[in-house]
Amino acid sequence: MAEPIWLDELGPVVDHPEWERPQPVVMEGRYCRLEPLDLSAHGQALWDQMFIADPDHRQWMYLAGHGPFAGKDDFVAAWDRFDKAVDNLTYAVIPTDAASGLPAVATGQFSFLRIRPEAGSIEVGFVRFPPQMARTRTSTEAQFLLMQHVFEVLQYRRYEWKCNADNLPSMTTAKRLGFTYEGTFRQDQINHGRNRNTAWWSIIDTEWPRLKKAYKAWLSDDNFDSKGRQKQRLSSFF
């Protein structure tokens, strides 16, 4: 059958076979290591680092159907069910820089979600870092390592971030990390019995070389003083 005459009226040709699905691998950086989540190995440390330090359970405020949890066993059981029911791949973040003051145990986590090899697209979500990791080289490098894996190893063409549009810290983080805001899906979900409008953000493959250069410049020793304080914001390198 001849190709339809209207094909040339569509977008640019994507000449690529289906992309490979991500496999659980260890990613090593200067300030942290990403390990595929193993609840038997990481569950207690994650509970200690993130959940005990959050007595108001605010980190679960914007996650529909997840938490808060009464204790570590409930958290582990719930995440085990989630891993088995949802198409995702979760990583634990292990700080490796002694100067950061962070323990060298599972201290944060995030997941690959909405994995679509047929489109070369993947989402990062369920990002959980304790307050002491906010905007540190450890947490920023963790995000960088995941992006680098998506664009350089998997060679995907789209990397997504989604969040509750009322979640201003998540919106600010997406912007800081170089994601582009694409719009808001109104009345998209119900979160703890309340309406959730979902904001969509993305990075695409053609933007990655510029962002990679910016991340490396921000993470360099030259950008931090003797007390570990940044001299320039990440956004100043974009």
Side-chain angles (χ1 to χ4, degrees):
M1 180 178 176
E3 290 187 344
I5 60 173
W6 41 258
L7 271 181
D8 288 341
E9 299 177 33
L10 298 177
V13 171
V14 179
D15 185 14
H16 198 291
E18 182 168 313
W19 284 259
E20 297 291 330
R21 294 183 59 80
Q23 299 299 314
V25 296
V26 174
M27 304 178 206
E28 294 276 1
R30 181 177 177 184
Y31 305 103
C32 68
R33 180 175 67 256
L34 307 187
E35 297 180 357
L37 181 65
D38 177 349
L39 289 168
S40 64
H42 303 133
Q44 184 66 58
L46 286 172
W47 180 257
D48 291 344
Q49 297 302 314
M50 293 198 294
F51 310 126
I52 291 178
D54 180 29
D56 295 330
H57 308 299
R58 295 189 68 85
Q59 66 180 298
W60 305 107
M61 182 175 175
Y62 296 108
L63 290 181
H66 293 272
F69 302 104
K72 189 262 290 186
D73 290 344
D74 288 341
F75 158 69
V76 169
W79 205 265
D80 184 57
R81 290 193 298 271
F82 173 75
D83 267 349
K84 291 176 180 177
V86 178
D87 182 18
N88 79 105
L89 175 56
T90 299
Y91 281 91
V93 182
I94 318 294
T96 56
D97 177 25
S100 71
L102 297 167
V105 296
T107 306
Q109 69 180 83
F110 43 23
S111 302
F112 281 144
L113 303 166
R114 218 168 86 95
I115 302 167
R116 297 186 295 142
E118 72 281 2
S121 177
I122 197 167
E123 175 186 352
V124 59
F126 289 107
V127 180
R128 305 260 64 80
F129 290 145
Q132 63 268 30
M133 281 184 69
R135 298 194 179 192
T136 63
R137 279 183 279 189
T138 301
S139 63
T140 302
E141 185 185 58
Q143 296 281 5
F144 168 77
L145 290 173
L146 216 59
M147 289 184 198
Q148 183 172 248
H149 187 73
V150 166
F151 289 117
E152 297 184 13
V153 178
L154 299 175
Q155 297 188 342
Y156 276 32
R157 65 196 197 112
R158 176 177 170 85
Y159 188 54
E160 299 178 334
W161 178 290
K162 301 185 187 71
C163 63
N164 189 315
D166 292 329
N167 187 350
L168 296 183
S170 186
M171 297 279 278
T172 299
T173 299
K175 184 177 181 180
R176 173 182 178 267
L177 294 174
F179 285 84
T180 295
Y181 172 69
E182 296 181 323
T184 295
F185 284 29
R186 300 177 298 166
Q187 297 187 183
D188 179 48
Q189 298 180 32
I190 297 174
N191 176 30
H192 300 300
R194 308 299 179 93
N195 176 63
R196 166 173 158 154
N197 300 325
T198 300
W200 286 50
W201 302 71
S202 75
I203 295 171
I204 59 175
D205 54 357
T206 55
E207 297 164 343
W208 172 239
R210 171 178 56 85
L211 292 177
K212 179 180 180 178
K213 183 178 180 180
Y215 272 88
K216 284 186 169 292
W218 187 87
L219 287 165
S220 73
D221 290 337
D222 292 341
N223 190 45
F224 290 84
D225 64 20
S226 60
K227 294 184 178 179
R229 296 173 299 199
Q230 68 174 358
K231 296 177 182 178
Q232 295 186 66
R233 296 180 177 181
L234 178 60
S235 59
S236 69
F237 295 101
F238 291 162

